[in-house]
Each structure stands twice: as structure tokens, then as C-alpha cells.
Amino acid sequence: MIRKSVLAAASAAVLTITACGNGAEPAKQVGTTQTSTQPASKQQVTLTLEENWSTPNVDNQLYKERIQKFQQLNPDIKIEMQDIPSAQYRTKLRTEAAGNSMPDMFILYPGVDMDPFIDAGVLMPLDEIMDTWKDILPPQSLGGYKVNGKQYAVPTKMTFVDIIYYHKDMLAKVGYNEFPKTYTDFLDLVKKLKASGVTPMGIGNKNRWPLQSTVMSAVEDRIAGTDFLTKVKQGQAKFTDADYVKALGIFDELTKLDAFNADLNTMDEVQVQDYFLQKKAAMTMTSSTIDTKFRVSNTEGGANIGIALFPSIDGGKGTAGKSAGVIQYGIGLSKELTGAKKEAAYKFLKYFYSPELYQNLMSKGIVVPAKVEMPADTSKYLKEMLELTKSGDALVFDSVMPAAVKDSIENGLQAITMKQKTPEQIAKEMQDVMDKVKK
């Protein structure tokens, strides 16, 4: 299901450009012309919203501004927001689901992340209002939030988690005028950068998910193939298989070459962005959302920053050119909402997920899963990102694997980069956890 939604979302984003180039009419605008017509005496409704928009990404700011605007237009509806760091967000929401104490509204992740909430029966289907988006959101882009025929959220953006950003001049100084196409050449680049006194790859893994989600999602796809994780879930493959051990071995190899910054496990994913922009590292690997900061809004050095995907690996079963992507930031509703609160929540969702939101995101260089007209001020960098990721159907590890397995690989990758454990040990630990989850 996730794989299909990723493919569709990427295709939808590309179709956006095609449609605009052919002079297609923009999609029908919904929720953008709403005005405050409520009587002043109408009883106020308060809705709670838990979200993880705490990092200074440009899209997070857009979401918050849109919520503020909605409240200005609807003074009878108050939205109380609780901002929770991403590292703690999933755990907090699962705990609330287990205790049947969900907030009114909350950020819902697609795919396997929805399982605890479906099992707990705490979600409200949105099927009765889904016609709102029939003209802008194709069915395929909604798939990640659809379970057993019911739709539980709609996405804001399409995030490709495995984008390699690099300083063109720093690579050119060691003989690379374009990014390496093979892993063999990539290793050569790493060695030459290190020999020149430069940190090859900056990573901020303090919160543990970047190595797992961003780097491993790409590496495992190149070596074990796109269907490997699905086979593991189905019991047709194991993490202890040679291909997966080899994928884990990439981290061991890069660690021994000192490819990463020495403080990768104490620097977080936001700090490493500035580390990279200050040219303390020639490359970094992060999500497509950061393109806005690195290139679109970076008037001083954006043109010097290139983008690439992890190269092909000799003997690998994967295909170079695939990018690991996932739809994000659907807002789910508690099944406990009734009456005025339910109607207020529906009104909010219709306003929030309008063509205006998707166009604003595109103006900031963010890929969206919607069919809307591309704004005139859309950056050339967004078009370049769409071209780079047009074949994106690699799986994101933490979108398809149970939480316990995710925790296992995150601990394991930290151990490898700290030279405490071997790839074989980590593979066995992961499979042991997977076997327990299946029982």
C-alpha cells in the first residue's frame, strides 16, 4: 500500500508541471474564500491538535500560519495546539491511543504507523467529506491513509527522505565535476575528500532515526531490492540474509573510512543543516523538504549545491534512480468527536487542505501529492527535485516496519558507527525482534 501511494504521489507531482505546461485550468478552489459569517453570540468550540511541527522547516511554519488564519476567519472555533518534538511524537500518540485518551485532532503517519490506532479503534473515518478533494487528490496519493476501504486522513506533502546534497565546488576540487554514479566511485570520492582534510558526509543522528530512515532506506534498496522489506514481513526473507548483512556493512565500511562527522550521534538533524551550509562537510543526506533552506531560499550559495541519490552498488538487486519517499502530515480525527466539535473539525480540514496550501508549499520548493496549478513563482529547484525523484518507489524503513524493529535497527546503526557491534550482530538482533513481533 505504501509503495503504491509513493509512486502515485510522485507521479501526481510530475503531472502538476505537465498540466500547467499544457495550459490546463487550475483545480477548483476549495476552502480558500471562506469568511467569518458566524454570529458573535455563537457558542465557541475548542479543538485540541497534537502536532510535531517543532523543527524550523518552512512547511511547518506554513501549517501554523494557516491554522492561525483559519481561527481569524472562524472566531467561534479555537484550536489549541500542542507542539511535540518528532522524536517523542509517535510514542506519545500511541500511548494515548492505548489509553483511549486521544486529542481531538493529531498528525497521523501513513502505513504501518496507523496500525496501533486502527487496532485501538480510535480513528474517525473521513469518507463523508472526501468529495472535497476529488478534483485535486488522486486516489493513489490517498492510499497510505486508507485502511479496509476507509479514509482516515489526507496528506500535505510528499517527502523523499534520501536526498544527497553536495557542494559542487568541494567535489570539483577533488576531481568530481558530477556526483558519482556507482558506489565504487562514491568510495573513491569519500577517500579523496577525507585526504584533503574535509568531512565527506555530515549526518545528525542524535535522535537516531536519520541513519535508519534516510540512509538505510536507500542503501538497503540498492543492495537487497525494493521488495526485500515486504518479503521480511511476509516471512519470505530475513534480516540475517546475506544481502541485508551487506547493506548494514556499508555503514561499517563508511565508518572505518571516517566518512561521517565524528559527532554524528550527538548532533541532531537540524544542527547538521548549518554544519553542511558552513561547508564543514562536503555532503549531507536528508529529506527533500530541506531543499527550501539549502537551495530555494539560499541566495548566496544555492546554485553551488547539487542534489543526487545514493549510487548503484555492484551486485545489488536494486535499481539506481529510485528514491525512498512517503506522504506525510495527514491530520486524523478522534472517533469521539460529535455534534458541533465534529462539524468544526470537518470545517477546519476542508479549509486547511485546500489548493492554496499545496500551491504555497510548491512556492517554497516542496513536493506535493496534489494536482494543482504550479504557481508562477515556483523555483527551478522544485522542477529539478521532481526530475530527480520521478522514479521514486523505494520503501522508507520506518513506514513499513513495526516500531520494535525500527528501534532495533536504530540502536544497531548507532552501535556500528560507534564501532561497538558488527553488521552480523545487528542483523541477528533485528531478526530476533522481528520473530517476536510475529508471534
Side-chain angles (χ1 to χ4, degrees):
M1 178 176 64
I2 286 294
R3 182 184 178 194
K4 289 181 180 177
S5 69
V6 169
L7 278 167
S11 298
V14 174
L15 285 173
T16 300
I17 295 180
T18 305
C20 297
N22 291 335
E25 294 183 1
K28 182 180 179 181
Q29 299 289 304
V30 293
T32 58
T33 58
Q34 184 174 344
T35 58
S36 176
T37 59
Q38 304 295 338
S41 60
K42 187 171 182 179
Q43 182 178 4
Q44 186 173 63
V45 174
T46 298
L47 296 169
T48 57
L49 169 62
E50 285 189 7
E51 39 77 14
N52 59 338
W53 298 328
S54 55
T55 55
N57 294 350
V58 66
D59 62 315
N60 291 347
Q61 185 60 37
L62 285 176
Y63 305 143
K64 291 179 178 180
E65 290 174 356
R66 191 154 187 81
I67 291 172
Q68 187 176 47
K69 184 177 179 182
F70 173 80
Q71 292 184 103
Q72 291 172 351
L73 294 171
N74 300 273
D76 59 303
I77 302 175
K78 180 181 180 181
I79 298 177
E80 293 183 348
M81 299 173 64
Q82 185 174 4
D83 206 351
I84 303 166
S86 290
Q88 290 88 46
Y89 182 80
R90 284 179 167 95
T91 300
K92 186 177 189 300
L93 205 63
R94 289 192 188 106
T95 301
E96 290 168 333
N100 198 25
S101 58
M102 297 291 287
D104 297 326
M105 306 190 295
F106 41 88
I107 298 302
L108 188 63
Y109 282 83
V112 70
D113 272 301
M114 291 180 63
D115 290 350
F117 309 104
I118 298 296
D119 293 341
V122 297
L123 302 180
M124 176 183 292
L126 305 180
D127 299 278
E128 61 184 288
I129 61 169
M130 286 310 298
D131 277 352
T132 304
W133 301 283
K134 64 181 181 180
D135 294 328
I136 64 171
L137 293 175
Q140 301 95 323
S141 69
L142 297 169
Y145 286 116
K146 195 167 190 176
V147 181
N148 299 327
K150 296 180 179 180
Q151 192 74 41
Y152 291 101
V154 297
T156 61
K157 67 175 181 176
M158 177 74 186
T159 299
F160 295 97
V161 303
D162 59 346
I163 306 301
I164 296 177
Y165 292 89
Y166 62 93
H167 293 290
K168 297 176 182 178
D169 58 347
M170 294 179 76
L171 267 63
K173 286 180 181 179
V174 293
Y176 280 84
N177 292 315
E178 62 178 25
F179 197 82
K181 292 182 171 58
T182 68
Y183 181 64
T184 299
D185 287 340
F186 178 76
L187 285 180
D188 179 67
L189 170 62
V190 166
K191 293 173 184 176
K192 288 179 177 177
L193 286 169
K194 190 65 182 178
S196 70
V198 173
T199 296
M201 177 76 74
I203 297 290
N205 196 53
K206 180 180 180 179
N207 290 319
R208 302 188 309 138
W209 62 262
L211 281 179
Q212 165 268 122
S213 185
T214 294
V215 189
M216 191 60 182
S217 293
V219 171
E220 68 196 7
D221 183 81
R222 297 292 184 267
I223 295 177
T226 303
D227 60 351
F228 182 80
L229 294 180
T230 302
K231 288 182 177 179
V232 171
K233 291 187 71 175
Q234 295 171 346
Q236 299 172 3
K238 297 190 176 200
F239 289 121
T240 49
D241 290 352
D243 284 339
Y244 206 78
V245 174
K246 181 179 178 181
L248 291 169
I250 296 293
F251 291 87
D252 189 50
E253 184 171 33
L254 293 175
T255 296
K256 289 175 179 176
L257 290 175
D258 291 327
F260 305 120
N261 45 308
D263 54 355
L264 83 161
N265 287 313
T266 55
M267 181 182 292
D268 68 30
E269 65 275 11
V270 177
Q271 291 171 318
V272 79
Q273 295 170 17
D274 292 329
Y275 184 87
F276 170 74
L277 288 176
Q278 293 165 10
K279 289 193 168 184
K280 294 180 180 178
M283 300 176 283
T284 191
M285 199 166 177
T286 186
S287 79
S288 56
T289 299
I290 310 303
D291 204 54
T292 302
K293 179 176 181 178
F294 281 179
R295 305 198 302 162
V296 178
S297 302
N298 184 3
T299 56
E300 295 183 357
N304 184 53
I305 297 176
I307 56 174
L309 297 176
F310 203 85
S312 62
I313 298 176
D314 187 41
K317 297 176 180 177
T319 303
K322 291 182 179 180
S323 182
V326 65
I327 54 173
Q328 285 189 312
Y329 293 158
I331 297 177
L333 302 184
S334 168
K335 72 168 185 179
E336 301 298 329
L337 292 181
T338 59
K341 292 191 73 169
K342 178 181 176 181
E343 292 306 312
Y346 278 179
K347 189 175 187 179
F348 168 71
L349 292 182
K350 291 177 182 180
Y351 175 85
F352 187 80
Y353 293 100
S354 75
E356 183 181 43
L357 171 67
Y358 296 112
Q359 289 175 323
N360 287 342
L361 288 168
M362 293 171 73
S363 292
K364 299 298 184 181
I366 294 172
V367 182
V368 301
K371 295 187 294 185
V372 294
E373 185 173 7
M374 182 169 283
D377 62 349
T378 299
S379 167
K380 64 179 181 179
Y381 294 121
L382 176 59
K383 297 177 182 179
E384 186 181 351
M385 182 66 70
L386 290 171
E387 179 64 24
L388 178 72
T389 58
K390 66 182 180 181
S391 300
D393 64 343
L395 299 179
V396 179
F397 188 93
D398 54 8
S399 290
V400 295
M401 280 293 152
V405 180
K406 178 188 77 73
D407 291 342
S408 179
I409 191 174
E410 288 178 351
N411 292 334
L413 292 175
Q414 265 197 345
I416 289 176
T417 57
M418 295 172 70
K419 302 179 181 179
Q420 294 175 342
K421 291 185 178 180
T422 67
E424 289 79 8
Q425 289 174 311
I426 303 308
K428 184 180 183 305
E429 290 174 0
M430 290 175 64
Q431 189 58 46
D432 287 345
V433 173
M434 190 70 196
D435 291 340
K436 289 179 181 178
V437 169
K438 288 183 177 181
K439 290 182 179 179

